[in-house]
Amino acid sequence: MEKKALLSIGDFSKVTGVGIKALRYYDEVGILPPAYLDPASGYRYYSFQQKAVVDAIQFCVELGIPLKQFPEYTNEPVSWIRYADLVERGEEIVSGKIKALQEHLALLKQMRKEIQRAENSYKNNQPAQYCLPARDCWIVPYEGTQSCEASRQLTNKIILDIHENGLRLGNTGGLVLLRRHEKWQQFLFVDVQKPIGRTYRSSQIIHIPQGMYFCKKVEHSDIQQVWEWSKPLVPEDKIKLVIETELFVGNYSFSAPVLEQRCFLIP
């Protein structure tokens, strides 16, 4: 093919909207060799028909299909493209992204709902009843408060244990009182996300289902103080467990988080 019937790499870059460096890279990896390479100057020249190849490559780039997979949809040298297969793969990727975005949106809505609830608890400073979502917790026996070095060291150990067991770490932790053998036992906990589609059992993981809680902001960490403020509201035998954790308020302070105690009520 004569050079004068082709587009220089600069002109081809203009008409395709793809940078010259990118065109050179596509040549180097073998997915878009120029129609003609001037042996004297080394300049690359392209045919207008190759714009379709560029469009297919950009399609892959935008969808996140690795360029190393591009040869799976064409022949060598590139003279045709299996657009049907490429479009089908694109639909799969877009559908997956839409599903992921929907999950992210649902999570954001849940976070906004919890922030609004936490703000109400923070401002009212009075016990109130709320329905809170389920959670899974990794627990370790512990006597003490959250605001001490022993708590921080044990929390770090729990975090590492969760990781070593191949589980995903949650975002919150704190203290929990569980009624066992007719006695209240105290534990330190960190939220954990169990793997989807795989059964995972451990004596150190408890599942707390969605349910109704009496909640109250507290000024300092001491889960035993729950019996003082909850006594006028609910009998002790109607409480399934007690959680002391951080309030997820809108302006969250890492150095001085607001604490809330929650009494999980027996249905």
Side-chain angles (χ1 to χ4, degrees):
M1 187 177 293
E2 293 187 9
K3 182 170 64 175
K4 60 185 178 182
L6 301 173
L7 295 167
S8 68
I9 190 171
D11 289 337
F12 193 62
S13 172
K14 292 176 183 177
V15 299
T16 59
V18 177
I20 292 175
K21 287 185 178 180
L23 292 173
R24 289 172 177 161
Y25 174 73
Y26 298 157
D27 180 18
E28 291 171 4
V29 297
I31 60 176
L32 183 61
Y36 176 74
L37 181 64
D38 190 315
S41 65
Y43 289 170
R44 295 171 173 86
Y45 293 86
Y46 298 83
S47 67
F48 174 72
Q49 287 74 20
Q50 287 182 293
K51 180 181 182 299
V53 182
V54 174
D55 291 342
I57 292 172
Q58 292 304 104
F59 182 79
C60 292
V61 171
E62 291 170 1
L63 291 179
I65 299 174
L67 292 183
K68 64 181 180 181
Q69 296 179 7
F70 186 73
E72 299 175 11
Y73 302 96
T74 185
N75 65 336
E76 187 179 348
V78 181
S79 61
W80 51 258
I81 299 170
R82 298 206 314 270
Y83 268 112
D85 293 341
L86 192 57
V87 168
E88 182 179 358
R89 177 63 181 140
E91 288 177 344
E92 293 175 357
I93 292 174
V94 171
S95 296
K97 289 183 177 181
I98 290 174
K99 181 180 179 181
L101 287 172
Q102 289 173 335
E103 292 174 352
H104 288 316
L105 181 59
L107 177 60
L108 290 171
K109 288 182 177 180
Q110 181 180 333
M111 291 175 65
R112 177 176 289 278
K113 183 177 179 181
E114 173 55 21
I115 288 173
Q116 292 173 342
R117 186 205 69 79
E119 290 285 353
N120 289 335
S121 180
Y122 177 73
K123 293 176 182 178
N124 294 338
N125 200 29
Q126 295 295 326
Q129 196 167 350
Y130 301 98
C131 180
L132 299 182
R135 68 199 304 163
D136 293 300
C137 306
W138 185 291
I139 61 172
V140 173
Y142 171 76
E143 296 293 335
T145 68
Q146 294 188 62
S147 54
C148 66
E149 188 62 26
S151 170
R152 288 186 281 270
Q153 290 180 1
L154 186 54
T155 298
N156 289 340
K157 183 180 183 304
I158 295 174
I159 290 171
L160 294 175
D161 287 342
I162 291 172
H163 174 72
E164 290 174 1
N165 279 268
L167 301 174
R168 291 183 61 189
L169 186 67
N171 294 322
T172 57
L175 304 175
V176 59
L177 285 176
L178 301 176
R179 193 197 300 271
R180 292 184 169 179
H181 308 297
E182 300 305 318
K183 292 183 179 181
W184 290 102
Q185 297 180 31
Q186 183 174 319
F187 299 84
L188 195 68
F189 80 89
V190 174
D191 281 349
V192 64
Q193 299 179 27
K194 293 195 293 186
I196 299 175
R198 179 166 67 92
T199 302
Y200 187 94
R201 291 185 176 88
S202 170
S203 60
Q204 290 186 284
I205 296 180
I206 61 169
H207 176 73
I208 303 175
Q210 175 178 298
M212 298 303 299
Y213 291 75
F214 267 117
C215 305
K216 185 183 184 302
K217 183 189 75 171
V218 292
E219 299 300 327
H220 62 276
S221 175
D222 179 3
I223 199 167
Q224 297 298 331
Q225 64 185 311
V226 66
W227 308 121
E228 299 175 9
W229 66 262
S230 67
K231 188 174 182 179
L233 301 172
V234 57
E236 183 178 330
D237 61 0
K238 296 296 182 181
I239 298 176
K240 188 173 184 178
L241 58 84
V242 180
I243 293 174
E244 180 186 283
T245 189
E246 299 174 4
L247 259 180
F248 189 36
V249 291
N251 293 327
Y252 180 81
S253 171
F254 293 96
S255 59
V258 180
L259 297 178
E260 182 181 63
Q261 293 183 348
R262 306 168 181 174
C263 298
F264 184 35
L265 306 179
I266 297 174

